[in-house]
Amino acid sequence: MGMKIYNSLSRQLEDFVPLNPEQVSIYSCGPTVYDYIHMGNARTALVTDIIRRYLVYKGYNVKLVQNLTDIDDKIINRAAELGVSAKQLACEKCEDFFQDSQRLGIQPADVHPKATEHIPEMIDLIQTLLDKGAAYVIDGSVYYRVNQFAEYGKLSNRKPEDLLAGARVEVDERKEDPRDFDMWKAAKPDEPSWESPWGSGRPGWHIECSAMAMKHLGETIDIHAGGEDLLFPHHENEIAQSELATGATFARYWMHVAFLKIDGTRMGKSEQNFILLRDALDNYPTEVIRHFLISAHYRHPLDYNQESLTKSEGALRRLNNCLDALKKYAGPVEASQTTTTPLQQAVQEMKAQFTQAMDTDFNTAQALGAIFTLVSAVNRSLTSDSEETDPAFAQAYQALIETCQVLGIYGPDPQKSDDNNVEQRDRLVHLLLEIRQDARERKDWETSDKIRDRLQELNIEIKDTREGATWKIVP
Ligand code: AMP
Ligand code: ZN
């Protein structure tokens, strides 16, 4: 069976056939960098990570682009509150985003384009739309003329009447049609701005994604992903801009991740009910958080609560105990077998069920079900008199490691690796202190000071005492 993806555009499961069999292209709408990311943002980012990992597991080459919105009202307002520049705030929050993503085991995208580094591409795209009569300028702002795109509303399945009603909430009297949206915002005093043919200003959010997606992935993308809140108007507008400009299909499969909720409401910054990813990661290992976030299919809402995380913790403990117990049996997996034991059969079933679940619109909940059914089967077999030579154990070990790695719920124990790193660091500092002591005995003050100063830069402070040099980490 091939892969199927639920396409929000057709509102049905479709066979997944990439445009270019050599490379699948994915564009994922990334964060607006004005604060740390919360668990809801993490859910959407993790789903993209899993989609990519699974496609690679299936043998595809994948190019993933995830943008960073580094200019926006929210950034400007927050920066003003903090008394820093919008650029400085965005830079800091970008770094925090990369750090948090890495802690969650999210592999970096192939390209992380920043909006502020693609202003010329956005200006070109807006100019193309103006030349086609699909945009108009008012007082230095440029608006998209929605009635020029006959298919407007096809993604959100909204009829013009509904769109009009929705858009009237905040009508800008200057617009020709309430549905029209801005692609270029004329500069306001004290806001960052860039020069353009229409005067200085800054881009609108929707044009950023159209321009960056097309720059890095071409006119047509295979998969475009984001949270369900982005379906309208963001993605609807991305389609309108891109397809009118190029005449080509913008994205072939639209995937939308359902909300992570807390007490039944969407987790969000404006709702003030969010749990930061970094705080969750301080309390639970990466694999537990990943397990929790993929414990529901991505199109189903998921509720953040203590009990679910405790359940994920228990599940991970069972998995790791099982893998630890299997480790001693691990070895080359025998291919030719005349008879099949029940455990071998369970391994085959798990692999088939895992693939079927993931092939069917990346159903991680069912894929986990298959993995944990095998864990139970292994545990049952291990308690009876286990034959160390039974190749089923090696096969089970290998199958579990392989599938858990696709989901990113298996990794070396972070606690243990931290201990190793600390030990290694201590040894290296001691080695440097020894070299420094030798230098001091030779009266080579230059080397001795260099070692002290460079360690200081790394927040390691050296103190010379009568008993020799001591060191400590300083904040
Ligand atoms: P933002 O920084 O608000 O632009 O959001 C970044 C990404 O996280 C977007 O793809 C959003 O759709 C997604 N997102 C925001 N809140 C949630 C939530 N509660 N559950 C799932 N995804 C979310
Ligand atoms: Zn976007």
Side-chain angles (χ1 to χ4, degrees), residues 27 29-30 67 205 209 224 230 234-235 238:
Y27 185 87
C29 289
N67 72 298
W205 174 35
C209 282
H224 195 312
L230 302 190
H234 185 52
H235 290 161
E238 278 188 42

Side-chain angles (χ1 to χ4, degrees), residues 289-444:
I289 307 256
R290 287 180 74 104
H291 180 279
F292 161 68
L293 287 173
I294 61 171
S295 60
H297 183 220
Y298 76 87
R299 280 191 292 118
H300 292 166
L302 174 66
D303 212 65
Y304 180 92
N305 57 58
Q306 211 60 45
E307 300 85 80
S308 301
L309 277 157
T310 307
K311 266 193 201 156
S312 290
E313 225 174 2
L316 259 290
R317 204 173 308 120
R318 268 193 298 141
L319 174 69
N320 287 327
N321 287 345
C322 174
L323 287 170
D324 276 351
L326 280 177
K327 227 177 246 168
K328 66 175 175 186
Y329 303 108
V333 171
E334 309 269 336
S336 58
Q337 286 282 304
T338 42
T339 54
T340 311
T341 65
L343 186 56
Q344 278 178 312
Q345 207 165 342
V347 172
Q348 290 315 320
E349 273 166 23
M350 186 280 262
K351 287 208 254 185
Q353 282 166 9
F354 176 85
T355 306
Q356 198 195 358
M358 293 299 283
D359 274 355
T360 314
D361 197 28
F362 306 97
N363 195 329
T364 50
Q366 277 180 14
L368 285 173
I371 289 174
F372 282 90
T373 304
L374 180 60
V375 167
S376 305
V378 169
N379 287 342
R380 278 196 305 276
S381 309
L382 279 169
T383 47
S384 53
D385 287 336
S386 316
E387 278 280 342
E388 290 207 14
T389 50
D390 185 347
F393 291 126
Q395 288 165 0
Y397 183 72
Q398 196 182 65
L400 285 171
I401 297 278
E402 240 175 65
T403 49
C404 290
Q405 275 174 345
V406 173
L407 302 179
I409 55 164
Y410 169 74
D413 185 335
Q415 191 57 49
K416 281 182 196 149
S417 65
D418 269 1
D419 288 351
N420 288 341
N421 289 340
V422 167
E423 212 180 299
Q424 191 76 350
R425 180 201 61 201
D426 293 357
R427 286 211 204 120
L428 284 170
V429 175
H430 280 293
L431 175 64
L432 283 167
L433 291 188
E434 256 178 61
I435 296 172
R436 182 167 172 267
Q437 186 53 33
D438 294 347
R440 284 165 73 87
E441 280 165 17
R442 287 197 310 274
K443 302 206 182 327
D444 176 0

Side-chain angles (χ1 to χ4, degrees), residues 30-39 41-42 68-70 72-79 81-82 84 86 88-101 268-270 272-279:
T32 303
V33 280
Y34 70 105
D35 206 340
Y36 298 119
I37 60 166
H38 58 67
M39 288 286 283
N41 305 134
L68 295 154
T69 296
D70 62 346
D72 176 83
D73 286 340
K74 288 182 208 149
I75 300 174
I76 294 170
N77 296 340
R78 175 65 59 87
E81 276 165 35
L82 296 172
V84 296
Q88 188 186 338
L89 176 67
C91 269
E92 276 172 24
K93 293 303 152 201
C94 266
E95 285 313 309
D96 292 334
F97 167 69
F98 287 132
Q99 202 182 61
D100 291 352
S101 303
K269 289 277 157 56
S270 32
Q272 291 288 319
N273 61 359
F274 54 88
I275 307 285
L276 294 180
L277 172 60
R278 51 178 52 207
D279 291 340

